[in-house]
Amino acid sequence: EKERFYRLLDEEWNRAISDNPEWATSLGDNRFNDKLNDVSYETILLRQGNVKELLLKIKRINQKLLLKNDKLNYDLFRQQLDNNIDGAQFFDFLIPLDQMSGIQIGFAGIHNYMPFKTRKDYANYISRMNAFPKKMKQTIDLMERGMKLGWLPPKIILSSVLEQVRAQFDISIETSPLYTPFNEFPESINLEDQINLKKEMSIALEEKVFPSYKSLYSFFAEKYLPLCRDNIACSGFPKGDDYYQYLIRHYTTTNMGPQEIHNIGVSEVKRIKGEMQRVIKRTNFDGDFDAFLEFLRTDSSFYYQTEDELLDAYRSICKKADAELPKFFGKLPRLTYGVKKIPNYQASASPTAYYYPGNNKAGRPGYFMANTYKLNTRPKYEMEALSVHEAVPGHHLQIALAQELDDIPMFRRYLGYTAFVEGWGLYSEKLAEEMGFYDDPYNKFGQLTYEMWRACRLVVDTGMHALGWTRQQAIDYMSKNTAKSKNDIKVEIDRYIAWPGQALAYKIGELKIRELRNKAEKEMGIKFDIRDFHDTVLGDGAIPLDILEKNVNQYIKKNN
């Protein structure tokens, strides 16, 4: 039975790899480096049908005959299938781009995870450029279908998209991000080949890629944007209320309802605000809470003057965190990471930072991507909390460890349960205090600001998508309770509008991890070992919160 099960897993993994050649490249599988993902409407429906067939196959496996670890593999695999089938009733794939993601952003960075060692590597890359018009037509076709079926994003969040698209074609060939690999060749490629490759790439950009982006620009400006909706809530979609509840289940791995999550958020905001006010007293600031927030947003001493100063400060924080890890973790990842700036063409609509996963097989480190746009909105007091969330002990450590688990099937190394992944990131922000961070009251306030920000998300996301809040109400609530800059707040609120439910996962996940740690400490007493606890939490990769709770309870029972 185990052999049947693993054969099925291997077949599905290989199918997923061949169906997603761009993802395959990012994982270091270079067999399909000359191809782009097929995102056509027909293919999407075909793959949804394949998932239903796969579910029938997995049901024929007798789970009772599998060993303990394989029963978990079975549960997680089937859960993925069930979730995909549940989500297939909603046609959100007809919204293939927004202000934070899509073909106008993602494609420009494709060179970041492709190899460029041989002439064949460069030829593969050019083949992808030549295949781009087909993918663009498929993308526009999805959007046209979305126009007809009512799957349209809110207009208010799309103001930056046209500029993002224009930035991909209203430039010279040599300054295009896509041309980057042709500015410097490896010694293995002779001069004649270099000249020919440059010529081929220039033709591909001029005749294939740039015209494709121009067609997207015209379509978006003239046909798509005018039809996009004014309503910001999930209720604006077909079966919108059901869709929002599905997204809550998907992102939080719980069965909570919007009102329950909203109430948790209100309670957390009240608790964190009390902590923030106690920290303010430590600064001897003469003024109330609102005045303190305004002081943090406007005093120039809290901001760096240059990009390099900001990035170097992030690197120093990360180096400090690296040195503390062995005290808190028994197992650390082999994969390294670095700090890089978010590209200019996407920075204005991007969050303060994000993590870009690396891959050992591909020979690519992970990256903590930091936003250097509008330096006067990137305060120093937030940097410690942000660094430990995105790098270590947050996303890099957790995601790299999951990829390096050798005793689990491939699909589990890349599971991305948001409540677990982002819950761990937020838990890491608090853990950093035990690692020696936040010794300055302003940095401590920055950590609380980030925790408050995630608590506010529970309130404003459910508020906008289920309880009738306006965008301005959400902005005002966030402004009242956090020291985030006005620019950051607007970018974040628009993110929640574009990605309903995703922002709920952070606090829900962190609260569960914190609850389980408190339980372990209380029941185990002096037997509690922080390194063993963290290794237990991270030992199975990303998992749903109910399975995490089961794992920790077993850890407590076994070691008590």
Side-chain angles (χ1 to χ4, degrees), residues 160-197:
S160 61
V161 172
L162 281 174
E163 188 53 42
Q164 291 170 349
V165 179
R166 179 183 287 277
Q168 303 302 333
F169 70 82
D170 196 13
I171 49 177
S172 66
I173 288 171
E174 291 75 15
T175 58
S176 169
L178 292 167
Y179 194 79
T180 303
F182 294 78
N183 290 323
E184 187 175 351
F185 287 87
E187 293 180 1
S188 58
I189 300 177
N190 63 55
L191 183 59
E192 182 180 357
D193 282 342
Q194 291 182 26
I195 294 171
N196 290 333
L197 288 168

Side-chain angles (χ1 to χ4, degrees), residues 38-189:
D38 184 344
V39 297
S40 68
Y41 178 76
E42 294 77 14
T43 296
I44 291 171
L45 294 187
L46 177 64
R47 290 174 182 170
Q48 288 178 346
N50 291 341
V51 172
K52 293 180 180 179
E53 292 181 13
L54 192 56
L55 181 61
L56 294 176
K57 291 180 181 179
I58 199 72
K59 284 181 177 179
R60 297 190 191 111
I61 302 290
N62 189 342
Q63 187 189 19
K64 294 178 181 179
L65 298 179
L66 299 176
L67 297 176
K68 178 184 173 183
N69 287 343
D70 286 328
K71 286 180 179 177
L72 177 58
N73 294 332
Y74 181 99
D75 287 340
L76 292 174
F77 188 70
R78 178 163 176 177
Q79 186 182 69
Q80 291 285 298
L81 300 180
D82 288 335
N83 183 67
N84 289 342
I85 291 170
D86 189 20
Q89 63 182 300
F90 308 109
F91 280 35
D92 51 2
F93 61 85
L94 297 181
I95 305 178
L97 59 86
D98 54 43
Q99 78 276 23
M100 294 173 298
S101 62
I103 202 167
Q104 84 285 8
I105 293 176
F107 190 72
I110 195 169
H111 63 278
N112 289 323
Y113 54 86
M114 286 190 70
F116 292 97
K117 299 175 182 177
T118 67
R119 193 189 191 289
K120 176 63 175 173
D121 290 337
Y122 279 85
N124 285 336
Y125 186 72
I126 294 170
S127 293
R128 281 182 159 168
M129 299 302 113
N130 288 324
F132 186 68
K134 181 179 179 180
K135 184 173 181 178
M136 181 63 81
K137 287 179 181 177
Q138 292 172 341
T139 301
I140 292 175
D141 176 66
L142 294 178
M143 297 166 74
E144 288 176 333
R145 292 175 185 273
M147 292 162 63
K148 294 174 183 175
L149 296 178
W151 282 92
L152 286 162
K155 191 179 297 184
I156 191 79
I157 64 174
L158 301 176
S159 59
S160 61
V161 172
L162 281 174
E163 188 53 42
Q164 291 170 349
V165 179
R166 179 183 287 277
Q168 303 302 333
F169 70 82
D170 196 13
I171 49 177
S172 66
I173 288 171
E174 291 75 15
T175 58
S176 169
L178 292 167
Y179 194 79
T180 303
F182 294 78
N183 290 323
E184 187 175 351
F185 287 87
E187 293 180 1
S188 58
I189 300 177

Side-chain angles (χ1 to χ4, degrees), residues 501-521:
Q502 191 269 354
L504 306 177
Y506 296 65
K507 199 63 173 134
I508 297 300
E510 181 256 349
L511 286 172
K512 176 55 70 175
I513 297 172
R514 181 64 51 185
E515 171 197 320
L516 294 173
R517 176 172 168 181
N518 291 340
K519 180 180 181 180
E521 288 177 329

Side-chain angles (χ1 to χ4, degrees), residues 483-495:
K484 299 289 287 179
S485 69
K486 300 294 185 182
N487 177 72
D488 268 5
I489 288 170
K490 289 181 180 179
V491 168
E492 285 297 320
I493 294 300
D494 288 346
R495 168 188 163 180

Side-chain angles (χ1 to χ4, degrees), residues 272 276 289-299 302-303 314 350-354 368 371 373-387 389-390 426 429 442 445-457 460 474-493 495-496 506:
I272 298 165
M276 296 172 92
F289 187 81
D290 290 343
F292 187 72
L293 296 189
E294 189 61 23
F295 166 62
L296 293 181
R297 292 186 184 117
T298 57
D299 192 292
F302 292 120
Y303 300 88
Y314 277 131
S350 291
T352 312
Y354 61 83
F368 165 22
N371 202 330
Y373 174 73
K374 289 188 176 180
L375 287 171
N376 63 345
T377 68
R378 314 293 172 196
K380 298 176 183 178
Y381 53 81
E382 292 182 353
M383 293 175 66
E384 288 186 345
L386 185 61
S387 299
H389 181 107
E390 302 297 345
L426 182 50
E429 294 177 25
Y442 291 104
F445 194 86
Q447 179 262 315
L448 289 171
T449 285
Y450 265 53
E451 188 178 6
M452 174 67 90
W453 172 30
R454 276 44 167 268
C456 286
R457 286 175 170 181
V460 299
I475 290 172
D476 291 344
Y477 188 87
M478 192 76 82
S479 299
K480 180 182 177 182
N481 290 294
T482 78
K484 299 289 287 179
S485 69
K486 300 294 185 182
N487 177 72
D488 268 5
I489 288 170
K490 289 181 180 179
V491 168
E492 285 297 320
I493 294 300
R495 168 188 163 180
Y496 313 150
Y506 296 65

Side-chain angles (χ1 to χ4, degrees), residues 286-320:
D286 185 17
D288 61 13
F289 187 81
D290 290 343
F292 187 72
L293 296 189
E294 189 61 23
F295 166 62
L296 293 181
R297 292 186 184 117
T298 57
D299 192 292
S300 61
S301 66
F302 292 120
Y303 300 88
Y304 286 107
Q305 301 302 309
T306 69
E307 288 185 354
D308 287 342
E309 286 179 323
L310 182 73
L311 294 172
D312 285 345
Y314 277 131
R315 293 181 181 114
S316 295
I317 294 168
C318 289
K319 184 175 288 188
K320 177 181 176 181

Side-chain angles (χ1 to χ4, degrees), residues 26 59 66 131 149 188 203 239 241 257 270 282 321 349 365 400 424:
S26 74
K59 284 181 177 179
L66 299 176
L149 296 178
S188 58
I203 292 172
K239 297 193 292 184
D241 291 338
K270 182 179 179 181
R282 289 169 51 196
W424 175 260

